[in-house]
Amino acid sequence: MAERDAAGAGGNEAERGLDSPDSDSDSENGGASGESEMDFLRNLLSRTLGLGSEKPEKVLDELTLDGVSRFMQSEKCRNVVCIVGAGISTSAGIPDFRSPGTGLYANLQSYNLPYPEAIFEINYFKQHPEPFFALARELYPGQFKPTVCHYFIRLLKEKGLLLRCYTQNIDTLERVAGLDQEDLVEAHGTFFTSHCLGSSCKKQYTLDWMKEKIFSTVTPKCDQCQSLVKPDIVFFGESLPPRFFTLMQSDFQKVDLLIIMGTSLQVQPFASLVSRVPTNTPRLLINKEKTGQSDPFMSLMGLSTGMDFDSEKAYRDVAWLGECDQGCTALAELLGWKNELEALVKKEHSAIDAKSGQAGEAGASPSLPPAGATASPSSPPAKPGSSPEKESDAGNKTE
């Protein structure tokens, strides 16, 4: 697993000599006089580690969703990268992973696991594949419709703004919503293909083959060597796809705006993506709670590139707290895209219903959730009764 980067977030400060700490002199020969011990240590570490060399520039006129929308409509914003987690799919009926009470990990008692995360651990899977395939029947792709968030990302693509969407999700709803493989980095893999785990076989299988096995309650075995066959999703203990590391190197040099939605940013190396953008790149979090914030000690040292929403030094990070669908609706409204987004959701959901033979049974596709008072970047989630309640947006894949 890749280690988290430690790119500097502080500005250039004049270098000073290593004079006696009790000197009162302000002479040009220097010393640490006139600055606190913490400032002195910050400067020393910044110089020693080569950090803090890029002076931050405030590119948003205000740290609000309005400020982000104006930036998106400016000449400065040409490449948007989205990083998303399970929170963007909860309104489709797919549970996230970590929310207390409602998250997937809180509801796995029937599988008799030694601990919840075991269901996604590769070594446990090889010995006990049945719990995973039982869960897969409940969550299998094709049973759910993309959400407002998915179609907002689709609009970013159609507007020529989307550079890439990095997703932790394995539900494939980004593809269903109209993103192509080139638009996506499925960091935790996909159900679209599967492979035999036999060391000398590795035969590939299709989505339809795996679906037939899963829904017939037969543990998928290779028809050549009888070894276990696993969907190409990334379990704990497995490496992320090479595409993740390859595109990460180029995409995060070009990005003008980073949008983070529906993730708790707890699983590495995916969580480290927020620190890979250039120092002057704005970062918008749309989530039920703040996450990805700087480590307090590293922040004091001026060496952290975690997100900073509230300190006096905050200059680029915006948190919109609430349901992800509502956040996307609020941003779309500020951009003048709300009607277009609503029409897209209705059209695509109707097409999915017609294709699956559910038209008329499921009823009309829901309209976009109201942006409401939650358009404030740091206001609390909407209270019950003021807007439709959904599951928590804080979780993620094998997050």
Side-chain angles (χ1 to χ4, degrees), residues 88-217:
I88 74 166
S89 296
T90 54
S91 64
I94 302 173
D96 66 17
F97 283 75
R98 300 183 184 276
S99 292
T102 61
L104 187 63
Y105 287 153
N107 292 280
L108 294 175
Q109 298 90 342
S110 62
Y111 298 110
N112 298 315
L113 301 167
Y115 44 89
E117 291 83 356
I119 201 166
F120 288 113
E121 287 190 352
I122 186 61
N123 290 331
Y124 185 85
F125 172 80
K126 289 177 178 178
Q127 298 297 319
H128 307 283
E130 297 82 6
F132 169 79
F133 286 117
L135 177 64
R137 279 193 293 276
E138 298 181 38
L139 303 179
Y140 204 80
Q143 303 181 82
F144 305 96
K145 298 175 189 174
T147 67
V148 171
C149 287
H150 293 99
Y151 290 114
F152 179 80
I153 299 170
R154 157 95 171 263
L155 270 187
L156 289 175
K157 173 186 175 179
E158 293 182 354
K159 303 290 184 181
L161 290 173
L162 183 68
L163 175 60
R164 206 86 60 197
C165 177
Y166 286 71
T167 179
Q168 293 170 292
N169 299 334
I170 57 174
D171 54 34
T172 73
L173 289 182
E174 295 89 0
R175 291 177 183 250
V176 178
L179 298 189
D180 298 325
Q181 182 172 346
E182 180 59 27
D183 303 318
L184 288 167
V185 173
E186 293 165 314
H188 292 163
T190 178
F191 267 98
F192 271 95
T193 55
S194 301
H195 280 84
C196 169
L197 294 181
S199 58
S200 59
C201 182
K202 304 296 183 183
K203 181 179 178 180
Q204 180 173 310
Y205 290 88
T206 66
L207 176 68
D208 288 339
W209 183 93
M210 178 58 71
K211 182 176 182 179
E212 189 276 327
K213 298 294 184 184
I214 288 178
F215 283 93
S216 64
T217 69

